Amino acid sequence: MKILVSGSGVAGAVLAHFLGRAGADVTVVERAPGLRTGGQPIDIRGAALTVVESMGVLEEVRGLRTTPRGMSMVDRDGNELMRDTEATISGGRIDGPDIEIMRGDLVSVLATASPARRVYGDSIATLTEDGEVTFEGGGRDRYDYIIGADGLHSRVRALAFGPEPRYIHHLGQYISVFTTDNFLGLDHWQTWFNEGDAGGVAFSDRDRAKMIVNLGFESAPIAYDHRDVEQQKRLIEERCGRLWEAPRLIEAMWKADDFSFGPIAQVRMDRWSTGRVALVGDAGYCASPLSGQGTSLAMVGAYVLAEELLAGPEGAGERYERRMRPFVAANQALATENPGGPAPMESVQRAANAISLG
């Protein structure tokens, strides 16, 4: 079986692992010039822990987990409003069974464990339902299956299912992430802050010399170019300029070379497969960061899709959707349970176990 996976992130790497391990001929194509290893802490919960165990990387992933001592919230002047040394907003209980890990660390582990041919700096230009693909770089080939694991702004989804606005449901917020020097002196700690409709968090982890920062704001949908980083940085500067430590944080943002920005949004679709094409992870059913389950959804979805393809490509898309629909619905519902903030952790834990694997 010859399979093309668009996107080298979490979903793409997990899918490539299970298909490649079973003997499929897998190619992963990625628009970026190399593996994207930036990002913030992400969580592996519930059924997703079964996936990393099945891949044989559970102990390696555990060895790279974040080690927060706790979190605090401060006002605009830096006065501490609350502190918690038992749990964090982003990861739940510090002593819990979930694994919080930096996205870059997880992607590196998964890519190493995934036997596949990788092509960087290229992307799909056209595709047909019978599996013929042309590439931006000029190549052409035919595949038994084409998988879109290419995120919120999926090229595969646009080509196979239609324009992005049909499927993106904005949840009223935008968020950015970047890395900078740890000029706040954070020690395995998260500091949260907000002012009006803007807010953010700064945190350090294993490398105390570095600090990761999220800055974001509430807003109705904004017209912007998702590839124009300078435009996105100007939006953050305009909307987050009154936050705690804003001058230093904004200055660091402009210097950061790993800045990313996007809407808090969900992808909702009536189907995730058509002909020889299927979507997995954020491309098909992004639940938004408010759910706390984006990574786990991507990993579980890739595992289930791989199982169904290996059971026989005929009807694989329909079987994949039947198994995943309840799990996706439970996790997408988390993002609207607590408007304006992350879902309550007890709800996240229930949704994380809404599917059984193996």
Side-chain angles (χ1 to χ4, degrees):
M1 186 161 45
K2 187 175 179 179
I3 296 177
L4 176 66
V5 179
S6 176
S8 64
V10 171
V14 172
L15 189 67
H17 170 87
F18 287 108
L19 292 174
R21 192 173 75 179
D25 177 4
V26 183
T27 298
V28 177
V29 62
E30 167 60 55
R31 178 185 294 275
L35 193 67
R36 299 179 191 232
T37 56
Q40 58 191 342
I42 53 180
D43 298 287
I44 306 171
R45 297 188 172 101
L49 292 168
T50 301
V51 176
V52 291
E53 184 174 22
S54 297
M55 293 180 70
V57 297
L58 179 57
E59 292 310 312
E60 184 177 4
V61 168
R62 276 188 175 142
L64 293 169
R65 70 192 307 167
T66 62
T67 53
R69 296 187 299 110
M71 59 155 285
S72 57
M73 298 190 73
V74 300
D75 65 17
R76 183 181 174 184
D77 298 319
N79 300 308
E80 189 170 275
L81 303 175
M82 65 84 71
R83 132 179 323 244
D84 192 335
T85 57
E86 295 183 353
T88 64
I89 291 174
S90 65
R93 289 197 59 83
I94 293 172
D95 62 356
D98 303 338
I99 298 175
E100 185 181 69
I101 182 173
M102 298 305 298
R103 180 193 174 278
D105 288 340
L106 178 61
V107 168
S108 296
V109 170
L110 297 179
T112 300
S114 301
R117 175 174 175 262
R118 283 179 167 75
V119 179
Y120 292 106
D122 204 354
S123 62
I124 297 173
T126 66
L127 58 82
T128 64
E129 286 196 5
D130 64 358
E132 185 173 338
V133 174
T134 64
F135 295 91
E136 297 286 353
R140 178 186 297 270
D141 211 336
R142 185 178 293 275
Y143 299 88
D144 297 311
Y145 235 89
I146 302 155
I147 312 298
D150 45 352
L152 184 68
H153 301 294
S154 171
R155 173 68 171 164
V156 173
R157 186 185 62 229
L159 290 170
F161 297 90
E164 180 174 295
R166 296 181 187 174
Y167 308 113
I168 302 292
H169 294 260
H170 188 67
L171 299 182
Q173 299 179 51
Y174 288 86
I175 190 170
S176 68
V177 59
F178 59 91
T179 305
T180 185
D181 293 335
N182 186 8
F183 55 79
L184 295 177
L186 301 176
D187 182 8
H188 297 255
W189 196 261
Q190 299 182 2
T191 300
W192 295 74
F193 45 92
N194 71 281
E195 179 71 21
D197 63 359
V201 58
F203 46 89
S204 71
D205 191 53
R206 291 183 299 119
D207 181 2
R208 287 181 53 205
K210 297 296 181 181
M211 176 173 69
I212 298 168
V213 180
N214 288 141
L215 297 176
F217 55 87
E218 297 177 5
S219 174
I222 297 171
Y224 74 98
D225 183 346
H226 70 265
R227 294 196 179 96
D228 187 339
V229 173
E230 183 173 339
Q231 180 192 35
Q232 296 159 24
K233 287 184 176 182
R234 286 198 302 270
L235 283 170
I236 289 293
E237 182 173 34
E238 291 166 4
R239 300 298 294 268
C240 298
R242 299 180 67 245
L243 293 171
W244 171 72
E245 289 286 358
R248 289 202 290 173
L249 292 173
I250 297 297
E251 181 183 4
M253 176 195 71
W254 279 105
K255 294 177 181 177
D257 58 8
D258 64 345
F259 174 90
S260 64
F261 171 89
I264 300 292
Q266 291 188 339
V267 174
R268 302 175 194 162
M269 304 181 68
D270 294 332
R271 55 182 180 147
W272 307 318
S273 61
T274 178
R276 296 172 183 260
V277 180
L279 304 174
V280 67
D282 282 357
Y285 37 83
C286 176
S288 89
L290 296 180
S291 74
Q293 276 290 92
T295 301
S296 294
L297 270 175
M299 298 183 80
V300 172
Y303 178 97
V304 171
L305 180 55
E307 276 198 333
E308 297 304 340
L309 286 170
L310 294 170
E314 186 67 31
E318 291 82 358
R319 299 192 303 272
Y320 158 63
E321 295 196 26
R322 281 198 301 271
R323 290 178 63 186
M324 284 294 294
R325 281 285 173 191
F327 186 57
V328 169
N331 284 285
Q332 286 195 330
L334 294 171
T336 57
E337 186 170 334
N338 186 36
M345 195 51 60
E346 60 270 19
S347 299
V348 173
Q349 294 293 349
R350 285 196 302 271
N353 291 289
I355 191 171
S356 179
L357 302 179

